[in-house]
């Protein structure tokens, strides 16, 4: 199991009101799974991804990454685990505008200084998504779909076990959304990486081999709702 989230609780304090967002939520993600999570706006999808991505902490519950509880990790260790095992793709791609596509993809490797092997992998990845001739473009010189594909490469450069994608197709037209989903499935088939993808779009959700819905703070099988 790459990820286990057990009995996760999270609420936000809005003034005097306590807003429960995640309530005794459980999720297991084995290698090679594509898990899609639907849910209305405000249901807690981003909150959930941030918590399983260790970017935010739960009020209660446990997260295990590759069988190891993150509760016992130091900040340094957690940063290392995040960098080595998790990749992130967000709706707003968060590419750094002053860096080229190539540099953006190699950013997560800086931690250990970029090795030749990483540059070779980056080269392969750019080929893989058909963007090798765009690698020296700045984000402003790329289309929305191309920027997202670059963001996907950045998420993949350290060969993570699990890619977390928060409404990645939110800003894409149907054609580009389809292309991004095909890419996710192809990556899973080729590298056996796992994905957790949140989405509003039923067509995107359909690519999951496990399709879940976030309702009342918990996850249910989409087929049962
Ligand atoms: N930092 C925060 N402080 C207070 N409330 C928040 C915060 N972040 C999210 N929320 C609230 O938590 C709920 C879930 O938000 P979110 O996880 O962003 O939902 P989704 O991604 O499904 O749209 C929403 O009602 C939102 O207003
Ligand atoms: Mg969200």
């Amino acid at each position: 199991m790459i990820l286990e989230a057990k009995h996760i609780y999270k609420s936000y304090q809005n003034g005097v009101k306590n807003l429960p967002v995640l309530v005794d939520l459980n999720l297991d993600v084995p290698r090679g799974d594509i898990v899609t999570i639907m849910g209305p706006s405000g249901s807690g999808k981003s909150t959930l991804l941030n918590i399983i991505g260790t970017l935010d902490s739960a009020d209660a519950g446990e997260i295990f990454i590759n069988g190891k509880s993150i509760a016992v990790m130091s900040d340094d260790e957690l940063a290392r685990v995040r960098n080595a095992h998790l990749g992130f793709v967000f709706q707003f791609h968060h590419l750094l505008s002053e860096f080229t596509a190539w540099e953006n993809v190699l950013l997560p490797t800086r931690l250990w200084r970029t090795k030749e092997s990483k540059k070779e992998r980056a080269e392969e990845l750019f080929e893989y998504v058909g963007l090798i001739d765009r690698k020296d473009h700045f984000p402003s010189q790329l289309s929305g779909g191309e920027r997202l594909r670059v963001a996907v490469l950045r998420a993949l450069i350290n060969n993570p076990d699990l890619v977390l994608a928060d409404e990645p197709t939110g800003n894409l037209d149907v054609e580009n959304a389809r292309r991004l989903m095909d890419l996710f499935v192809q990556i899973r088939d080729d590298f056996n990486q796992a994905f957790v993808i949140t989405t509003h779009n039923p067509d995107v959700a359909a690519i999951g081999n496990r399709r879940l819905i976030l309702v009342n703070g918990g996850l249910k099988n989409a087929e049962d709702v």
Side-chain angles (χ1 to χ4, degrees):
M1 217 48 91
I2 288 163
L3 175 91
E4 294 157 87
K6 292 187 190 299
H7 307 295
I8 300 296
Y9 287 80
K10 178 76 175 180
S11 61
Y12 290 112
Q13 201 69 38
N14 285 332
V16 290
K17 276 203 199 130
N18 188 271
L19 173 76
V21 178
L22 306 178
V23 181
D24 195 19
L25 179 142
N26 295 285
L27 176 64
D28 289 343
V29 183
R31 179 164 274 282
D33 248 25
I34 297 183
V35 178
T36 56
I37 300 176
M38 291 192 71
S41 184
S43 58
K45 300 180 299 297
S46 297
T47 301
L48 172 61
L49 277 205
N50 287 338
I51 288 174
I52 61 182
T54 76
L55 301 170
D56 191 6
S57 53
D59 300 332
E62 281 188 292
I63 305 278
F64 297 85
I65 295 176
N66 285 323
K68 217 175 157 200
S69 169
I70 65 164
V72 299
M73 294 179 194
S74 67
D75 287 352
D76 277 359
E77 196 180 352
L78 192 55
R80 244 179 289 123
V81 164
R82 196 185 295 131
N83 207 275
H85 298 294
L86 303 177
F88 298 90
V89 182
F90 296 101
Q91 177 178 355
F92 302 101
H93 56 84
H94 294 302
L95 296 180
L96 299 182
S97 57
E98 64 273 33
F99 292 101
T100 64
W102 176 258
E103 289 164 342
N104 266 283
V105 168
L106 287 171
L107 274 178
T109 69
R110 290 257 170 112
L111 213 57
W112 303 289
R113 296 250 189 118
T114 303
K115 298 193 187 91
E116 277 313 307
S117 60
K118 289 286 183 193
K119 291 185 188 158
E120 277 165 30
R121 177 162 168 79
E123 190 102 18
E124 280 166 18
L125 287 171
F126 272 96
E127 291 276 6
Y128 186 77
V129 298
L131 286 178
I132 194 73
D133 57 340
R134 303 273 201 290
K135 74 183 172 62
D136 297 321
H137 287 211
F138 288 92
S140 62
Q141 301 168 322
L142 298 169
S143 73
E146 289 169 344
R147 281 198 285 263
L148 258 168
R149 275 183 278 151
V150 172
V152 172
L153 299 192
R154 187 178 54 183
L156 291 175
I157 188 71
N158 284 333
N159 204 13
D161 301 310
L162 174 63
V163 176
L164 302 172
D166 194 12
E167 303 205 36
T169 62
N171 284 335
L172 297 182
D173 55 40
V174 174
E175 170 70 27
N176 273 302
R178 183 70 256 161
R179 213 165 157 189
L180 188 67
M181 289 308 101
D182 289 347
L183 177 62
F184 284 166
V185 172
Q186 193 187 341
I187 290 163
R188 189 276 309 272
D189 292 348
D190 290 350
F191 306 115
N192 205 29
Q193 268 147 341
F195 287 83
V196 177
I197 303 165
T198 68
T199 184
H200 265 104
N201 182 338
D203 293 335
V204 172
I207 72 156
N209 59 287
R210 198 139 50 100
R211 294 175 295 280
L212 305 173
I213 297 187
L214 184 53
V215 271
N216 298 328
L219 292 170
K220 288 195 164 66
N221 285 322
E223 290 76 23
D224 300 341
V225 175

